């Protein structure tokens, strides 16, 4: 069990820098996002250091993947990875990354508050700065517990905003938790090992990291935290009034077909009159 705030000196540590160089190489080869500044240069290395000695057979669910190279890095390392996001915006990017990198993680469109996945289907649930974008944070935590196997691992980084210290978080970006709220979320969730809320936050590192983080973007007037905590051994029991989760198969097939038809459309674009090609594009987009 681990809980901490980001430490600025670690960003320039040789181990952190070496990892980010390796991760950005995956990004370049896969047409994904490179990260050379702001919180990701601390978050990604820290998360990897919690997994690097784990069995490569682990099933890893990455929540809110967007353009991140990190789940693709894990796939190259041999983990059984599921890449996901709440919208289909990145489907084409992911399919191109599959082709460029030669790995084929599962691709899913998932709402972190209502995951269309069976209970106990993953060994690791990881999310990188997603919690602040989720309206119902307690529900998201409960869903993470549901899809994790007993004894599975929750890895999570998140934005921390302490208003009493003068920190601010832009409303257009969601709502960041405070340290006390994060502790309360886990204290109220019976599906993760007890005691996380009693672990002391390293508040002595706040000022140095906060000063640096503000230089990376005008709105970065907050800090970063992370946790590593295990799922309890209790099996999940569905509530009697639990709403059934929709079957995502149709949506995934539809996205796959749209992507394939889009690829075909681009290949024959020069061979068709413009009105015909425009009509084809409208059909593809549904």
């Amino acid at each position: 069990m681990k809980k901490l705030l980001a430490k600025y000196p670690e960003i320039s540590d040789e181990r952190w820098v070496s990892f980010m160089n390796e991760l950005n190489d995956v990004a370049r080869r896969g047409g994904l996002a490179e990260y050379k500044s702001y919180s990701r240069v601390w978050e990604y290395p820290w998360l990897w250091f919690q997994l690097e000695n784990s069995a490569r057979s682990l099933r890893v669910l990455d929540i809110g993947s967007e353009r991140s190279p990190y789940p693709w890095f894990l796939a190259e390392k041999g983990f059984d990875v599921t890449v996901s996001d709440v919208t289909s915006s990145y489907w084409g990017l992911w399919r191109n990354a599959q082709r460029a990198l030669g790995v084929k993680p599962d691709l899913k469109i998932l709402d972190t508050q209502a995951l269309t996945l069976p209970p106990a289907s993953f060994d690791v649930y990881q999310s990188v700065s997603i919690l602040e974008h989720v309206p119902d944070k307690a529900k998201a935590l409960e869903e993470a517990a549901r899809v994790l196997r007993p004894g599975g691992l929750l890895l999570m980084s998140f934005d921390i905003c302490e208003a009493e210290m003068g920190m601010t978080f832009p409303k257009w970006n969601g709502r960041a938790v405070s340290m006390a709220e994060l502790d309360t979320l886990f204290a109220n969730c019976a599906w993760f090992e007890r005691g996380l809320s009693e672990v002391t936050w390293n508040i002595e590192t706040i000022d140095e990291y906060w000063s640096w983080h503000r230089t990376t973007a005008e709105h970065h007037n907050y800090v970063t935290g992370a946790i590593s905590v295990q799922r309890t051994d209790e099996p999940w029991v569905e509530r009697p009034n639990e709403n059934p989760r929709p079957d995502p198969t149709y949506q995934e097939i539809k996205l796959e077909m749209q992507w394939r038809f889009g690829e075909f459309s681009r290949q024959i674009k020069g061979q068709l009159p413009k009105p015909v090609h425009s009509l084809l594009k409208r059909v593809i987009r549904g």
Side-chain angles (χ1 to χ4, degrees):
M1 178 191 307
K2 296 179 182 178
K3 179 183 79 177
L4 76 164
L5 300 171
K7 303 175 183 178
Y8 174 67
E10 290 179 333
I11 292 170
S12 56
D13 181 273
E14 183 179 351
R15 193 175 177 216
W16 259 255
V17 172
S18 176
F19 173 80
M20 287 307 302
N21 287 337
E22 189 174 358
L23 186 65
N24 282 327
D25 176 66
V26 174
R28 285 188 292 273
R29 290 187 286 111
L32 302 161
E34 293 185 54
Y35 293 96
K36 298 182 179 179
S37 183
Y38 95 102
S39 61
R40 296 296 187 273
V41 300
W42 182 85
E43 291 169 285
Y44 286 134
W46 189 86
L47 290 167
W48 168 241
F49 299 150
Q50 315 313 306
L51 272 185
E52 61 180 334
N53 296 320
S54 302
R56 296 302 194 254
S57 59
L58 292 182
R59 300 160 296 171
V60 179
L61 172 61
D62 188 78
I63 290 291
S65 306
E66 293 190 351
R67 300 176 63 237
S68 170
Y70 184 57
W72 300 88
F73 167 87
L74 294 181
E76 285 200 333
K77 291 294 184 182
F79 290 93
D80 182 359
V81 180
T82 294
V83 173
S84 76
D85 204 81
V86 72
T87 77
S88 61
S89 302
Y90 302 98
W91 194 266
L93 177 75
W94 295 343
R95 295 293 282 139
N96 288 330
Q98 283 184 328
R99 184 169 53 194
L101 295 171
V103 293
K104 289 195 173 183
D106 286 341
L107 310 179
K108 299 283 187 183
I109 307 304
L110 298 173
D111 178 354
T112 187
Q113 300 163 109
L115 299 171
T116 50
L117 299 166
S121 50
F122 288 91
D123 302 299
V124 179
Y125 174 111
Q126 66 179 26
S127 70
V128 183
S129 283
I130 297 299
L131 189 62
E132 55 270 19
H133 307 304
V134 179
D136 191 338
K137 302 179 195 310
K139 183 61 177 175
L141 197 59
E142 187 177 86
E143 279 291 274
R146 186 181 66 81
V147 301
L148 274 172
R149 66 165 172 79
L153 182 64
L154 175 71
L155 291 173
M156 183 181 287
S157 66
F158 38 81
D159 295 333
I160 290 282
C161 182
E162 297 291 336
E164 292 183 359
M165 296 179 66
M167 296 183 193
T168 56
F169 195 81
K171 290 183 178 179
W172 53 261
N173 205 26
R175 186 183 66 79
V177 296
S178 65
M179 290 181 280
E181 183 181 359
L182 193 283
D183 287 343
T184 300
L185 280 170
F186 278 89
N188 292 338
C189 185
W191 301 101
F192 291 101
E193 58 182 320
R194 302 288 82 196
L196 187 71
S197 57
E198 280 73 54
V199 176
T200 303
W201 291 98
N202 51 305
I203 58 175
E204 69 279 1
T205 69
I206 286 179
D207 287 344
E208 192 175 15
Y209 179 86
W210 186 16
S211 296
W212 168 79
H213 199 221
R214 287 197 299 263
T215 69
T216 63
E218 186 177 354
H219 67 279
H220 286 172
N221 188 35
Y222 48 87
V223 294
T224 307
I227 58 166
S228 170
V229 61
Q230 281 190 302
R231 167 78 159 75
T232 64
D233 289 333
E234 295 181 40
W236 181 265
V237 178
E238 292 283 359
R239 297 170 181 170
N241 61 346
E242 192 84 54
N243 292 327
R245 293 167 181 81
D247 183 353
T249 304
Y250 168 75
Q251 184 183 36
E252 291 172 15
I253 292 174
K254 178 182 176 181
L255 288 168
E256 177 73 13
M257 294 306 296
Q258 284 179 333
W259 182 81
R260 289 187 180 278
F261 276 117
E263 288 285 283
F264 175 69
S265 171
R266 284 187 285 274
Q267 291 173 9
I268 65 172
K269 181 177 180 180
Q271 304 172 34
L272 295 175
K274 189 173 181 179
V276 176
H277 186 260
S278 297
L279 177 61
L280 179 61
K281 284 174 65 178
R282 287 198 295 272
V283 171
I284 290 169
R285 291 170 181 171

